[in-house]
Amino acid sequence: MLKLGELEASVMDVLWNVAEPMRVREVLDELNQDRNLAYTTVMTVLDNLHRKGWVEREMQNRAYHYRATSSREEATAQTVRELLDSTEDRESVLLHFVQSASEEESDILRRALRRKSRKR
């Protein structure tokens, strides 16, 4: 994801895949199924994600519990929005994107645009 380092993205993946807030130790245990990270490394990453607004935390029994501030889908849509806002030629970007879209993705876009036009 844009604005996230590799480890930050991995931590976010863990948080996005669960319904309940997680302690640092729980996030670490999930991540360490595929690697060998230190507790303090994950704690620092979660603190940085909190500072950046990607996660919120709540103190419970002397330990922070972390949860994502938005869903994976909302975060991805925000990234796309920021990319579009960063270019002067949005039309070109959108046209290139549409050309790369699968038939299923094109159908999804058509349905979303029809719903949007009905709301106006």
Side-chain angles (χ1 to χ4, degrees), residues 3-90:
K3 300 189 296 188
L4 291 180
E6 181 184 340
L7 187 51
E8 289 175 324
S10 295
V11 168
M12 290 306 300
D13 283 338
V14 169
L15 294 175
W16 280 323
N17 287 328
V18 296
E20 297 298 318
M22 296 181 80
R23 297 184 331 261
V24 175
R25 173 66 57 195
E26 295 167 323
V27 175
L28 175 68
D29 290 346
E30 284 297 314
L31 292 170
N32 277 348
Q33 291 180 21
D34 300 322
R35 48 180 109 188
N36 188 23
L37 298 169
Y39 180 93
T40 53
T41 300
V42 175
M43 183 176 65
T44 299
V45 169
L46 282 163
D47 189 54
N48 290 340
L49 288 167
H50 177 258
R51 187 175 34 76
K52 292 178 179 182
W54 285 87
V55 300
E56 59 189 17
R57 65 186 179 193
E58 182 180 328
M59 182 68 76
Q60 295 178 8
N61 300 325
R62 299 187 313 149
Y64 281 119
H65 287 67
Y66 293 86
R67 77 170 49 214
T69 56
S70 61
S71 69
R72 180 190 316 267
E73 296 77 14
E74 290 167 329
T76 303
Q78 181 61 37
T79 299
V80 172
R81 175 79 268 152
E82 289 171 7
L83 286 169
L84 283 172
D85 289 346
S86 72
T87 184
E88 292 181 22
D89 191 0
R90 288 184 182 125

